[in-house]
Amino acid sequence: MDYECVIIGGGIAGTQAAIQLGRYAHNVLVIDAGVGRSTICGSYRNVLGWPDGISGPKLREIGRKQAQSLGVSWVTDEVVEVDCQDGQFVVRTKERELFKAVTILFATGVMDRFPELPNLRSCLGSTMYVCPDCDGYEVKNKRTIVLGSGDTGAYMAVTLSGWTDKIIYVNHEQAPICSELHSRLAELRIEVVAEPIEQVLCAAEGMFSGICLANGRVITGERGFIAFGGNEVRSSLASRLKIERLENKHIMVDPRTKMTSVPNVWAAGDVCAHAEQLTIAMGEGAQAAIWIHKTIMNWRSANGDTRHLH
Ligand SMILES: Cc1cc2nc3c(=O)[nH]c(=O)nc-3n(C[C@H](O)[C@H](O)[C@H](O)COP(=O)(O)OP(=O)(O)OC[C@H]3O[C@@H](n4cnc5c(N)ncnc54)[C@H](O)[C@@H]3O)c2cc1C
């Protein structure tokens, strides 16, 4: 099946791009594997229009319905290969479906690394967080436990000291902490516990109340932050197309158009460098879509396709 644009990833950036492209009445397909940062976030609270927060799954569902109502096609599957053949892109999925596209948008995001501790997932976004820019505010003056590893967790604990002075850092993996961060933690009187965690404790579903260590010690807390490092930037598909990436695997894009180093391939959201936030992913998705639209219109006229916007 041929499309004017195939969007790989139906999270925040991909869905916003799909809505924008749907409003130009382009022939668009979103292929989404169904698990991303926006599926594990229980509540976004820094977003205009949602002062009481909105969950990632809910926002995705609203967005997908909006895109589909505009004629965008949607497939739940994982893209395993993208190739360029005779000036067109060929996208292959895990279910062995093949789709052809004039333009491609990578909106595949990032996935956080964390241990599968009991109750951790149910608290994510609601009472346990990953990003101080998004949710530092949520721990203001609250007894906060940072669950992490080595320097990454230590740095998070130091960063959060701007919001609360009641912080304990649990270095779950007991990875080394550099001397500079050790000194900062000591200056800020942040207790460091180097013990593995057995489970996250909840007062109710999604309501973080502390942790239980493998040695049986219980540490109570009102909020949690995770910072294990080693998050996966989902850009491996881009390497086959020889798209320019940073050392940390984020895709490089033109700041104005969001096009990658390969013509007719765009990227938006967390997979790009760098601010990993919902509203930024939305903005980048919309911005990329505007430039994808221009390319599709040029492609149509070069191919004698006289369709205009309906
Ligand atoms: C716990 C948590 C809390 C957060 N809280 C906030 C907050 O309060 N405020 C805020 O602004 N931001 C927050 N964020 C960050 C925010 O969720 C991300 O910035 C946002 O989801 C990025 O959108 P995205 O579309 O780039 O990626 P995602 O939302 O991760 O979507 C990427 C999509 O691509 C799909 N995909 C990946 N690879 C493939 C493939 N090969 N084939 C098909 N599909 C694929 C995935 O299945 C996924 O659905 C939080 C993140 C987490 C994890």
Side-chain angles (χ1 to χ4, degrees):
M1 182 82 186
D2 291 10
Y3 288 91
E4 289 174 314
C5 183
V6 168
I7 298 174
I8 305 172
I12 306 303
T15 304
Q16 182 64 65
I19 291 167
Q20 183 70 31
L21 288 168
R23 289 170 67 86
Y24 294 121
H26 290 314
N27 184 18
V28 175
L29 170 70
V30 176
I31 307 174
D32 183 57
V35 181
R37 300 188 91 197
S38 50
T39 64
I40 62 170
C41 178
S43 186
Y44 293 109
R45 291 198 191 76
N46 60 339
V47 182
L48 182 95
W50 304 95
D52 299 323
I54 169 95
S55 84
K58 182 78 194 153
L59 193 58
R60 286 169 61 108
E61 187 195 337
I62 295 170
R64 180 176 46 77
K65 284 188 180 150
Q66 189 177 351
Q68 286 176 317
S69 76
L70 293 160
V72 170
S73 303
W74 204 282
V75 166
T76 302
D77 202 347
E78 185 187 335
V79 173
V80 291
E81 201 173 271
V82 183
D83 244 325
C84 188
Q85 291 172 8
D86 305 325
Q88 271 210 319
F89 297 99
V90 180
V91 176
R92 192 164 63 82
T93 71
K94 205 171 177 178
E95 298 295 323
R96 298 181 175 280
E97 283 206 80
L98 283 182
F99 302 98
K100 285 190 179 163
V102 176
T103 62
I104 295 282
L105 172 64
F106 284 107
T108 42
V110 162
M111 187 41 89
D112 302 76
R113 183 180 79 86
F114 53 83
E116 288 295 345
L117 297 169
N119 299 323
L120 191 154
R121 272 182 188 264
S122 70
C123 295
L124 280 179
S126 309
T127 51
M128 289 185 81
Y129 313 103
V130 299
C131 161
D133 298 312
C134 304
D135 287 314
Y137 179 82
E138 302 299 326
V139 306
K140 201 168 164 202
N141 299 326
K142 292 204 157 55
R143 185 171 159 82
T144 302
I145 303 175
V146 175
L147 293 69
S149 177
D151 284 349
T152 310
Y155 188 73
M156 180 65 82
V158 168
T159 304
L160 292 175
S161 67
W163 284 280
T164 179
D165 57 6
K166 291 171 255 179
I167 302 175
I168 296 179
Y169 170 35
V170 181
N171 186 359
H172 172 71
E173 293 172 343
Q174 297 124 69
I177 300 172
C178 71
S179 57
E180 198 187 321
L181 278 168
H182 253 307
S183 311
R184 282 296 290 145
L185 290 163
E187 272 165 36
L188 292 163
R189 297 177 193 283
I190 294 173
E191 184 189 349
V192 180
V193 178
E195 286 286 341
I197 301 161
E198 184 84 0
Q199 64 169 312
V200 169
L201 303 174
C202 290
E205 175 73 13
M207 198 58 222
F208 178 85
S209 62
I211 55 165
C212 180
L213 299 176
N215 65 12
R217 180 181 167 195
V218 168
I219 304 175
T220 58
E222 296 168 279
R223 293 292 182 268
F225 248 90
I226 59 168
F228 291 92
N231 293 350
E232 178 201 357
V233 181
R234 291 169 152 177
S235 66
S236 57
L237 291 169
S239 68
R240 191 175 173 101
L241 293 174
K242 301 202 166 41
I243 287 170
E244 208 178 315
R245 295 185 294 169
L246 294 174
E247 215 169 277
N248 65 8
K249 309 258 187 341
H250 282 284
I251 296 177
M252 301 282 287
V253 288
D254 179 284
R256 184 158 171 248
T257 66
K258 305 295 164 198
M259 202 199 269
T260 67
S261 58
V262 171
N264 298 348
V265 180
W266 279 259
D270 284 6
V271 76
C272 300
H274 183 226
E276 297 177 2
Q277 282 215 335
L278 176 122
T279 50
I280 293 171
M282 273 187 186
E284 289 185 356
Q287 200 177 345
I290 289 167
W291 288 87
I292 292 170
H293 161 65
K294 292 180 202 294
T295 296
I296 291 172
M297 294 313 277
N298 287 339
W299 176 83
R300 281 186 185 178
S301 77
N303 285 278
D305 183 334
T306 52
R307 268 179 298 165
H308 294 292
L309 293 177
H310 302 289

